[in-house]
Amino acid sequence: MNQQFTYPRLLGDIGGTNARFAWQEAEGAPLTDIATLPCADFATVLDAIREYLRAHGKAQPRWSAMGIANPITGDRVQMTNHHWSFSISEVQRDLGLDRYLLINDFTALALSLPALERAQLRQVGGGDAVPGGPIALLGAGTGLGVSGLLQTAGGQSVPLNGEGGHVTLGGVDAREDAVIAVLRRRYGHASAERALSGPGIVALYEALCELDGVAAKPMTAATITAAAQAGQDAQAVETEAVFFSLLGTVAGNLALSLGARGGVYIGGGIVPRLGDRILSSSFRSRFESKGRFQPYLASIPVFVVAAEVSPALIGAARALDVL
C-alpha cells in the first residue's frame, strides 16, 4: 500500500485517568495538536475522540492507532481501571476509519523506546545497555504496566504483550510482609499493581497507618508523595520508601525473567514525576538484591523515561507501520 493513502493519522494513549491524542499529517511529519482529555469528562471513548477532533478542527483521519491501559483479547474492550467499554470494530465504523489499531498502552510505549533520545532518559545505576539485548519496561500510573522489547536477527523490534502488573507481590522483610498481608486481606490477591500505582500508594499509606495504629489522613497519591518530600508525615515518608523498594524488587524480577541486558525502562506517570527521589531511595539496591545474580543485575542500566510528549503516542505511530 502507498503510505500516503494512510494519512492523516489519529494517535492515542488512553489511560485510566487521561486520554492523550495527537495528529500526524503525513509520513515523517512530527506529531502535532497533542492534547490531554480527562476520561471522567466523557461517557465513552468515542465521545472523547470526537471532542478532540472537533476542538482541533481535524478532518477525517484515515488510519488510527491507540494504546490503551487494558489487555486486548478480542473485539470487546472493558477497561480495568475505568468504566469505558466498547467494540473496536464499532469505533472504527463510527469514525469511518480505513484502519483502527488498538494495542496495550505499554506495547505502544515499548515500541517508542528505540526512538527516545538520551536527554529524555534519566539513568539509575548500572552500566551500558547491551546493543540488541532484550529490553524490559514497567511503569506505575493508574495501574502498573509491564512490557518488553525483543530484537530479531533481522533487527526488527518485537514488543511483548502481557499483564505483568498483576503478578503476585512478594516482600523481602517482616515489615513488607505485614503490609502485603493487609493488602491481601483487603483485595484477596495482593498483586504488584495493588501497591505500585496511584491507588496503590494510597493503599500502602493506609496499610502502614493501620500497622502503626494511627488514623490515616484522607490523602491522594499526589498529596502523600508531597507530604513525604516535605517530611511532614511519618507514614507518608515510609510509603514512598516502601513504594521504591517494592518497585526495585519487581523491576529486578522482570529484568531476570527477560534477561534484560538491553536495559530496564520505567515509564508511567508516577516515577518520572518524582524526579531524582528514586536516586536516594533503595530502588537500585533492591533491584540488584537477587543473591547469586547480583553481579548480573548490577551491570544492567535502568532508565526513567522523562519525555515531555507521551512516548506511547510515538509508539502508536510506529505500530501502524510494524504491526
Side-chain angles (χ1 to χ4, degrees), residues 32-174:
T32 62
D33 299 283
I34 297 168
T36 300
L37 302 180
C39 295
D41 288 356
F42 302 92
T44 68
V45 67
L46 197 57
D47 289 341
I49 294 171
R50 284 175 169 158
E51 172 57 23
Y52 169 80
L53 294 173
R54 184 204 65 76
H56 293 271
K58 294 303 180 185
Q60 175 67 42
R62 290 186 170 178
W63 279 18
S64 176
M66 296 182 185
I68 187 169
N70 216 72
I72 309 299
T73 57
D75 181 67
R76 193 79 204 172
V77 175
Q78 172 61 64
M79 291 187 68
T80 305
N81 292 312
H82 190 60
H83 70 265
W84 284 350
S85 176
F86 58 93
S87 158
I88 298 172
S89 59
E90 287 178 6
V91 170
Q92 179 176 349
R93 182 199 64 208
D94 291 346
L95 291 175
L97 297 166
D98 294 333
R99 184 184 183 200
Y100 182 46
L101 177 63
L102 194 71
I103 58 177
N104 179 266
D105 61 334
F106 267 71
T107 300
L109 182 54
L111 283 169
S112 78
L113 297 180
L116 296 181
E117 299 177 359
R118 192 56 186 257
Q120 297 174 299
L121 303 171
R122 178 186 294 113
Q123 186 165 350
V124 185
D128 295 326
V130 174
I135 290 172
L137 170 67
L138 72 164
T142 305
L144 177 66
V146 174
S147 184
L149 200 65
L150 306 179
Q151 189 165 305
T152 67
Q156 181 181 3
S157 295
V158 180
L160 300 178
N161 295 303
E163 288 298 320
H166 300 282
V167 299
T168 302
L169 189 64
V172 301
D173 57 35

Side-chain angles (χ1 to χ4, degrees), residues 177-191 194 203 206-211:
D177 289 342
V179 169
I180 292 169
V182 174
L183 299 181
R184 189 182 306 117
R185 188 176 71 246
R186 174 182 289 190
Y187 299 115
H189 176 231
S191 68
R194 293 299 192 186
E206 292 174 348
L208 289 167
C209 287
E210 178 181 327
L211 293 172

